[in-house]
Structure formats: structure tokens, C-alpha cells
Amino acid sequence: MKKLYMKWLLLCTMMMCSVGAWGEDEVYKTALFGSTYNSQSVSSYTATWTATNNGFTVSLANFNNNSNGWEYVKCGRKNNASVATITTSAVIDKAVTKVEITIDAITADKVNSIKLYTSSDGSSWTEAGSYTAAKGAQSVSPASPAANLYYKVEFDCASGTANGLVTISKVDYYVANAAAQSPIPNPQSPIP
């Protein structure tokens, strides 16, 4: 019995070490920006265009990429209120547990809100949460993750004294870690 228990303990330890971040969500899709990913060179804050990374495409509205000169995008306009969005071009086939945006710079007092929306058809949207208008990685976890949904991050900006009130370098879409969902072996089960 003691030998069986030791084998089980060793097996559990090996499984936990091989998984690494046991139980944490993992990045499934990532939206990146720059000349490698952008569909077109944009030098305004009113254009609509796309960015594609490893076959995953998002549509951007009212974002500038400085004629493909930046590895990030900016939204928010001088002397004009504006709403900018980053929207998945197709549904994500797995249940997204978290959508994380990386904000590299922000004029927070000119940002009314940053919200995440989901949709099953790409036209009727449901609010899934609000982001903190602050520099760094900001995330929202939908209350009821589901597969086959579109995702839209919306930046509602007040009129600014300069263009580019929010700078975004990437958007990560997380799913549950498949290894964390695997059952832990029963210590009473025989180990081959």
C-alpha cells in the first residue's frame, strides 16, 4: 500500500510540474499590431481596417497605426469625442474566460469608459464588463464563458487636447487551461 501511495504521489508531482501554471487560463488568440499584421497603412483616427496574427483577424475602427510605423495602435481624437473598437472578425470557437488588453499609455481623464461586449451574431451586443482606464494589462472575465462568440472592446473617449489618448499593443483572449481540466488520479487506482 505504501508503495502504491508513493507512486501516486510521484505521478501527481510530475503532472503538476509538467503543467507549469496549474489551473491558470492560457492565451488562445492574440491580436497584434504593426506592419506585419496591419491590413493597411493608416494615418487618421477615423479609418476602419483589420489586423491579422496567425490567421486570427480583428477589425479596428477609429484607430491609427501611423502609416504602419507603430507596433501598437492609438485611439482618441483632438477636439472631437470618439468611440473606437477592436472586434473579432469571426467567432472564437472556445469559451473565452478572459480578454486582456495591454494599455501602453493613456490619458485616463479623457476616457469615459472601456468596455467588453460579446455577441453570437456579430450585430447584437451584450456588455460583458468594464476595464480599468489605466496603464498596464487590464482584463475582463465574462460571467458566463461560452464558445462561438464575437468579442468587441470599445473605447469611449471624450474630446482631447491631442490625438492618441489610448495606446494598445495587444489584446489576448484566454481559455481554460486544458491540462487543469484533466482529472487527478485516484490514489486507490492501480498504477501500471
Side-chain angles (χ1 to χ4, degrees):
M1 182 71 173
K2 186 175 182 182
K3 191 174 185 181
L4 179 63
Y5 177 76
M6 293 303 288
K7 284 183 180 180
W8 176 81
L9 186 60
L10 179 62
L11 178 63
C12 288
T13 303
M14 289 184 339
M15 285 176 52
M16 288 175 62
C17 290
S18 67
V19 170
W22 184 263
E24 291 184 15
D25 294 341
E26 61 188 4
V27 175
Y28 181 56
K29 304 281 185 183
T30 299
L32 294 173
F33 313 106
S35 60
T36 303
Y37 312 103
N38 301 339
S39 65
Q40 66 188 67
S41 173
V42 176
S43 61
S44 75
Y45 288 86
T46 58
T48 299
W49 48 285
T50 62
T52 303
N53 174 35
N54 292 325
F56 175 65
T57 302
V58 293
S59 175
L60 293 96
N62 300 328
F63 273 94
N64 187 348
N65 64 33
N66 191 33
S67 300
N68 279 335
W70 296 329
E71 297 299 312
Y72 47 83
V73 292
K74 291 185 177 188
C75 68
R77 297 175 59 198
K78 180 178 181 179
N79 300 326
N80 287 287
S82 64
V83 175
T85 57
I86 301 174
T87 308
T88 57
S89 295
V91 297
I92 295 181
D93 61 336
K94 294 186 179 185
V96 172
T97 56
K98 177 173 65 174
V99 178
E100 183 176 272
I101 57 176
T102 301
I103 300 175
D104 301 285
I106 188 167
T107 306
D109 64 329
K110 296 296 182 187
V111 177
N112 298 324
S113 65
I114 305 171
K115 294 184 178 181
L116 176 67
Y117 293 89
T118 60
S119 173
S120 59
D121 61 8
S123 60
S124 300
W125 296 93
T126 302
E127 186 178 332
S130 294
Y131 293 92
T132 302
K135 189 175 176 181
Q138 306 299 329
S139 63
V140 167
S141 296
S144 302
N148 300 315
L149 293 177
Y150 293 89
Y151 294 85
K152 175 170 65 174
V153 181
E154 179 185 86
F155 302 81
D156 182 347
C157 298
S159 177
T161 56
N163 286 322
L165 304 173
V166 183
T167 303
I168 304 292
S169 59
K170 69 177 177 171
V171 183
D172 286 320
Y173 302 82
Y174 287 77
V175 298
N177 185 325
Q181 296 173 10
S182 300
I184 295 176
N186 181 341
Q188 302 302 318
S189 300
I191 299 174

